[in-house]
Amino acid sequence: MPKLSENSGPSKMYSMDRKGSLALPPKENSNSYIASPTTGIKIPLKEIVIASENVWDSVYKSRYNSRNKNLLTPATVMNILPSIREAGRNTIAALAIKDENGKFEILSGMKRSYAVSISPGTSLVVHYAEKMDESDKQVLSKTADMHEKPSFLDVALSIKDYKNEVGEAFSLRKAGAIFDVSKSSIGDLVKFGNLPEELFRLFPGAGYVTWRFLKQIVDSGKDNDEIIDAIKNLDPISSDIDKVLSENAHKLLASECKSLEKEILKTLIKKEPKKVSKGFAQNSPFNEANLINGIKVKLETKGAISMTFDKVFFESDTGKKLLKLISLDS
């Protein structure tokens, strides 16, 4: 375990009412605790400061945290990166639980952890509890980090991780409750999470992938090997730090992602040519070559046949006979 700077008395940063709404504490309150969102009991907090280079050796994502670590990029933290680099630390502490191995399970603060990890010389400030009920972890992971909600793809991949963790105990109902997903969306999110990570890595972050795009990918019926093969020659969109900190970076990235989605769909879902009727066999009685002049025959969809007669046809003996056969007076 890397050497960490630990204090037993952080300034009180969190308070929570029984409705689950986090707020800054009253200034006169010097106690270091967070109120349990399920029982109201005070949970003591301590503070630890982790050097940038030690972040990922010291912290890990809670199963209840919907942010996906693998898709964190400079583009996903462009809104907090400047302030962290200027202050030399995250200005709002991450919230965590210290586990039995001395590591910190992050309930909220994955973006802050990542931003610090790519900023040499900065530190990650974490407020942590020594223990906490699972029900409290679940609630706090949703309410303590609402500056920017995780994208739907973050949630989809977190559901996948959760499913892999619990195995046969997994259920859509329980996953929907844990990750706050509606019944109408949970099925699609599970399917999105099963798409290959190679697809997601072409984008500068999970928040840049659209729901409609992934729905089209799923609906195409292509398996993961086919998807990987279709995108293997495509270059990922750059999200280096200089680019994401430049003016209008978000607008530029959004435009590039829109073009990338179109390119992927074009490559993966090639439009089938319209089916053209092959007509009738040479010896078919419906082949126009075997019919008298003035009759046109067309094979319609679903096997229907349409015949068109010129006006002069009905002046012939054959035409007059046909009229007599189909006449109500015949």
Side-chain angles (χ1 to χ4, degrees):
M1 174 64 63
K3 186 176 181 180
L4 308 173
S5 172
E6 187 167 358
N7 303 312
S8 60
S11 59
K12 169 73 170 58
M13 288 197 67
Y14 304 99
S15 66
M16 174 175 283
D17 59 27
R18 292 300 298 276
K19 295 180 180 179
S21 176
L22 279 172
L24 290 173
K27 289 184 178 180
E28 65 274 10
N29 188 342
S30 60
N31 295 328
S32 301
Y33 69 88
I34 186 169
S36 162
T38 58
T39 65
I41 296 173
K42 294 179 180 180
I43 303 172
L45 292 179
K46 296 180 180 180
E47 182 178 280
I48 192 163
V49 180
I50 305 171
S52 171
E53 65 270 21
N54 295 328
V55 166
W56 297 123
D57 290 329
S58 308
V59 307
Y60 61 94
K61 185 176 87 80
S62 170
R63 65 151 66 165
Y64 303 116
N65 187 310
S66 297
R67 198 81 63 183
N68 183 264
K69 178 192 172 185
N70 292 337
L71 295 184
L72 287 171
T73 68
T76 62
V77 296
M78 67 168 70
N79 59 329
I80 61 173
L81 195 56
S83 63
I84 285 176
R85 292 191 162 193
E86 182 179 354
R89 55 182 281 171
N90 47 310
T91 55
I92 298 178
L95 181 63
I97 311 299
K98 188 175 183 179
D99 69 17
E100 58 186 10
N101 297 313
K103 291 192 174 185
F104 299 90
E105 175 188 348
I106 298 293
L107 298 178
S108 70
M110 286 299 293
K111 284 178 62 178
R112 282 162 275 176
S113 299
Y114 176 77
V116 168
S117 76
I118 61 171
S119 302
T122 64
S123 299
L124 178 68
V125 180
V126 180
H127 286 183
Y128 70 92
E130 295 283 357
K131 60 180 180 179
M132 186 180 292
D133 290 341
E134 292 296 310
S135 57
D136 285 336
K137 289 183 183 181
Q138 184 175 330
V139 175
L140 286 171
S141 66
K142 300 297 176 294
T143 56
D145 192 9
M146 289 291 102
H147 176 68
E148 182 180 328
K149 293 180 67 174
S151 70
F152 76 86
L153 182 53
D154 278 309
V155 177
L157 293 171
S158 294
I159 291 173
K160 178 183 179 180
D161 291 340
Y162 171 71
K163 182 178 181 181
N164 290 337
E165 182 181 344
V166 301
E168 294 182 358
F170 177 81
S171 74
L172 292 178
R173 181 191 60 77
K174 189 170 183 178
I178 290 174
F179 295 100
D180 195 23
V181 176
S182 67
K183 292 180 181 178
S184 60
S185 299
I186 186 71
D188 280 337
L189 290 176
V190 170
K191 292 176 183 177
F192 295 162
N194 288 331
L195 292 171
E197 192 168 297
E198 289 88 342
L199 175 65
F200 307 140
R201 288 193 175 280
L202 291 174
F203 294 85
Y208 288 90
V209 186
T210 66
W211 183 289
R212 181 180 179 183
F213 166 70
L214 292 188
K215 190 73 166 65
Q216 287 177 285
I217 296 290
V218 168
D219 291 345
S220 74
K222 305 292 184 180
D223 61 32
N224 283 2
D225 288 339
E226 291 176 299
I227 295 171
I228 293 171
D229 185 64
I231 64 176
K232 64 184 179 184
N233 295 321
L234 297 178
D235 295 323
I237 294 174
S238 170
S239 61
D240 62 76
I241 293 177
D242 289 338
K243 179 179 180 180
V244 303
L245 294 181
S246 64
E247 190 175 359
N248 297 321
H250 180 74
K251 186 176 181 180
L252 172 62
L253 288 169
S255 176
E256 290 179 324
C257 291
K258 185 176 181 180
S259 297
L260 178 60
E261 288 188 345
K262 289 181 179 179
E263 182 65 22
I264 293 171
L265 291 173
K266 180 181 177 181
T267 304
L268 182 65
I269 311 173
K270 296 179 180 178
K271 292 185 177 180
E272 299 290 338
K274 291 184 178 180
K275 293 184 178 180
V276 179
S277 172
K278 296 180 180 179
F280 300 94
Q282 187 173 357
N283 61 349
S284 170
F286 295 105
N287 190 312
E288 290 179 11
N290 301 324
L291 298 173
I292 62 176
N293 291 335
I295 301 177
K296 300 290 184 182
V297 184
K298 183 180 180 182
L299 181 63
E300 304 286 359
T301 59
K302 297 183 180 180
I305 297 173
S306 64
M307 302 183 74
T308 305
F309 302 91
D310 291 344
K311 184 177 180 181
V312 293
F313 166 78
F314 291 103
E315 295 175 359
S316 66
D317 289 340
T318 303
K320 290 175 181 178
K321 289 179 182 178
L322 177 60
L323 278 175
K324 186 176 181 179
L325 284 171
I326 63 176
S327 173
L328 292 174
D329 297 330
S330 59

